[in-house]
Amino acid sequence: MCGIVAYLGPKQAYPILINGLRRLEYRGYDSAGVALLNSKLNVYKTKGKVADLEEFVRDVDISGTIGIAHTRWATHGEPNYANAHPHFSQSKNIALIHNGIIENYAPLRKELETRGYKFESNTDTEVLTNLIEDIKINENVSLFEAVRIALNQVIGAYAIVVIDANDPNSLIAARKGSPLVIGIGKDDYFVASDATPIIEHTKNVVYLDEEEIALIKRDSDLKIKTIRNKEKTPYIQALEMNLSALEKGGFEHFMLKEIYEQPSSIRDSMRGRLHAEAGSVSLGGIIDYEQKMVNASRIIIVACGTSWHAGLVGEYLFEDIARIPVEVEYASEFRYRNPVIYESDVVIAISQSGETADTLAAIELAKSKGATILGICNVVGSSIARATHAGSYTHAGPEIGVASTKAFTAQVTLLTLMALRMAQLKGTLTKSRFIQLLHEMERIPEKVQKTLEVSKKVIEIAEQFKDVRNFLYLGRGYNFPVALEGALKLKEISYIHAEGYPAAEMKHGPIALIDEEMPVVFIATNKGTYDKVVSNIQEVKARKGKVIAIVTEGDVTVRGMADYVIEIPETEEMFVPLLATIPLQKLSYHIAVMRGCNVDQPRNLAKSVTVE
Ligand code: F6R
């Protein structure tokens, strides 16, 4: 959603803040702003990206050793100057940045209006800023206390940082539902939505917990209370992230870099967990819950978007090799459907960011019914990682491109390991078959590497189809979720309409779309329902559709029918999604680049969706 960064210390704040905003821009990019305090509290903000803000402040006073900054993804009010953050209070004594949504902002605004407050924007954030000011004046309390009291009146989600024109030595930060990290330097403090703006300054961080509020004071220790006024001891952790993981490393876009990182990110997801020689799988994070999984009446997977597609692959895996029934749910539907949840259920929540509001709410609901909740997250210390009973991190490294690539394959890798572990414990595979699968899984990173080498063919196909208006993606079995993910990737970064379908469903409707203009991507690898998919390809060819097929190396049948083929290495059926996804990511990437789209920051999207 939005990105927050703040600084307090001996250095000039602006360069640190602007650099931090650049790192956070993947979270939202429709307006940006900064508040800097020297003798005066100055707020500069503009519609557009961080680069527009830099242009905007070219000729103004940007001095100050304390400041707050924000990059926005609009929720309340269109992206324009008035709605951009930071927001001033009416007196201009307080400025505030906010990520999240204040759900009861309308009655609060009405109440403040009756007390004489005038609003310059349509945002919920300006309401919160004036609420804090109103409490500070009328209750005659410190700013910290006013923020605390105000947050008790607020319904919704927030990560906020507040700055006071009359206090150049303090910042106040608080969170509920949206993430906030405080970096502790030698003699300075950093605050941010995630650790990426902090890592180059310090590795010591404190993750604020739900409903915690921090007083960050120059030359003083960090103080934390809950909004119910309970003192907390800050828990300082060391970041494990490297700065190089946040740079493009010679690639034109983060997305391309992240696509090419997959051999190593998949290897990192397996490291220390897959022991082919010893014939075992170990997942330390969920070890205490393995028996619960073995005895579970069913597994419910909750997730959104690409993570939901990974969950669908998980369904095939758990049912196929571990014989555990699985339901895969869109978190947003699950949470409002009054679902039947038993204490014997194990819920697996999958989320790259670990901050997705719907997934978080689905977890809370399942938890309240007594289910066991396991997490699969990429961002260490994220809200979902902490809300679950236990879990395993994907270890894919920071994913900056808004369209998920390496996080998806890392999620699938982890689900595969979990399913294999369950198969091992339940004895649903013979020992020799189990060991054969482990050895093959070990070879997946090198097969992904090989799959990445198909660039020329993919570029040729992209060139051919970059101007079409529609695409269809079809697959069956393990390749059905791959088709969905391929279609999602294309539409989100190239803005071409694309649909993913189970190949056999085509004849129940989508076949009407097929004409000589329509490219149809088939994932037609040589296992499972291969013969059936071959028939589906024939049905498309009979209607003059253009067939692009992902096939297994050496395939001749589909090669004889398709207009274009992309080969991937031979592997076991259950590992095919890890390979077949790669050319589809690359196809979307090249089409989007050829169409002049901003692949790393597609329009209207944001990396972490912390609102409903
Ligand atoms: C698509 C994409 C989104 C996310 C979805 C869930 O490329 O990235 O569909 O997968 O918003 O996000 P997480 O995994 O962070 O919960």
Side-chain angles (χ1 to χ4, degrees), residues 332-489:
S332 55
E333 287 299 310
F334 181 78
R335 63 183 289 196
Y336 287 117
R337 209 190 54 222
N338 193 16
V340 178
I341 304 168
Y342 303 111
E343 287 186 7
S344 57
D345 287 336
V346 169
V347 173
I348 302 178
I350 309 175
S351 173
Q352 186 285 131
S353 63
E355 302 296 341
T356 303
D358 285 320
T359 310
L360 207 43
I363 290 171
E364 295 307 339
L365 173 67
K367 229 190 204 173
S368 72
K369 308 277 183 207
T372 299
I373 324 289
L374 305 178
I376 294 182
C377 293
N378 194 38
V379 178
V380 176
S382 54
S383 302
I384 290 175
R386 289 185 295 158
T388 48
H389 292 117
S392 296
Y393 285 114
T394 44
H395 297 311
E399 191 178 64
I400 311 291
V402 164
S404 191
T405 52
K406 64 173 180 171
F408 172 76
T409 46
Q411 290 165 345
V412 172
T413 303
L414 214 51
L415 286 161
T416 310
L417 290 170
M418 278 186 183
L420 281 165
R421 177 67 183 151
M422 285 304 106
Q424 185 184 7
L425 291 173
K426 292 185 72 178
T428 44
L429 295 172
T430 63
K431 188 134 197 259
S432 60
R433 176 72 180 138
F434 180 70
I435 290 182
Q436 187 188 10
L437 288 173
L438 298 195
H439 280 290
E440 177 58 13
M441 189 164 183
E442 230 175 24
R443 287 192 283 271
I444 290 298
E446 99 205 28
K447 292 191 177 185
V448 170
Q449 185 65 52
K450 196 155 177 231
T451 310
L452 282 165
E453 285 156 21
V454 294
S455 295
K456 213 164 138 235
K457 190 73 181 179
V458 175
I459 291 169
E460 186 192 326
I461 299 169
E463 190 60 58
Q464 193 63 37
F465 294 103
K466 65 180 193 309
D467 296 319
V468 302
R469 300 187 53 176
N470 300 292
F471 255 88
L472 200 56
Y473 286 71
L474 301 175
R476 298 179 78 147
Y478 282 101
N479 286 333
F480 162 51
V482 176
L484 293 181
E485 177 57 10
L488 177 64
K489 221 73 314 164

Side-chain angles (χ1 to χ4, degrees), residues 4-20 34-37 62-70 97 161-163 167-173 181-192 197-198 201-202 216-218:
I4 281 180
V5 54
Y7 175 76
L8 167 61
K11 301 190 188 114
Q12 283 299 304
Y14 177 77
I16 294 168
L17 295 176
I18 212 77
N19 205 24
V34 57
L36 294 156
L37 176 56
I62 48 166
S63 63
T65 58
I66 174 171
I68 59 178
H70 189 268
I97 49 177
V161 187
V162 192
I163 188 167
D167 182 359
N169 296 316
S170 311
L171 289 171
I172 291 157
V181 192
I182 301 172
I184 303 174
K186 211 158 119 267
D187 45 11
D188 42 15
Y189 285 107
F190 308 81
V191 187
I198 296 178
H201 305 290
T202 176
I216 300 159
K217 234 176 157 35
R218 208 182 283 276

Side-chain angles (χ1 to χ4, degrees), residues 276-349:
E277 282 312 319
S280 74
V281 171
S282 57
L283 289 161
I286 58 164
I287 202 157
D288 296 339
Y289 289 85
E290 283 181 345
Q291 277 314 315
K292 278 235 168 209
M293 285 184 89
V294 167
N295 298 328
S297 47
R298 61 176 174 169
I299 291 173
I300 302 172
I301 297 179
V302 292
C304 303
T306 286
S307 299
W308 185 82
H309 296 157
L312 275 187
V313 180
E315 176 177 32
Y316 284 89
L317 287 162
F318 281 109
E319 296 198 344
D320 186 13
I321 63 167
R323 309 303 297 146
I324 305 175
V326 178
E327 284 168 29
V328 189
E329 302 272 1
Y330 284 115
S332 55
E333 287 299 310
F334 181 78
R335 63 183 289 196
Y336 287 117
R337 209 190 54 222
N338 193 16
V340 178
I341 304 168
Y342 303 111
E343 287 186 7
S344 57
D345 287 336
V346 169
V347 173
I348 302 178

